[in-house]
Amino acid sequence: MSTATIADRAELLREASLTICGQREGKTRSCDSCLRKADAVVQLLNGPDLNTRLLPHVADIVCGSTGRPCSDCWEKATALMLELRR
């Protein structure tokens, strides 16, 4: 993996983890738990099989739930899907 690719992935993980953790003014880092969730979400959404049927799974990852993500996590999952698939 090239240095540019590593830097791009690190920035992608940082942005995704902040979305999951909750973006607030002045907040520049997410917690470790949200960083791990971001890694799983980025791997899932950057895969070759992306479709909207993955949204519930992404919401589960973000919420840490099993089939019952809260409304805030549904919104975060939707935002991540839109951001990561540009």
Side-chain angles (χ1 to χ4, degrees), residues 11-46:
E11 180 62 19
L12 187 63
L13 284 173
R14 188 188 72 74
E15 290 177 17
S17 66
L18 277 173
T19 298
I20 293 168
C21 205
Q23 293 182 335
R24 293 182 281 288
E25 187 175 331
K27 185 174 184 174
T28 59
R29 294 187 61 194
S30 69
C31 66
D32 290 340
S33 175
C34 289
L35 184 57
R36 285 189 298 275
K37 290 176 184 179
D39 186 47
V41 168
V42 167
Q43 286 182 31
L44 184 66
L45 292 180
N46 282 328

Side-chain angles (χ1 to χ4, degrees), residues 41 44-55 58 81-82 84-86:
V41 168
L44 184 66
L45 292 180
N46 282 328
D49 301 326
L50 177 70
N51 60 54
T52 56
R53 290 182 289 173
L54 292 175
L55 187 58
V58 172
M81 185 170 276
L82 294 173
L84 296 175
R85 296 310 293 180
R86 288 187 224 171

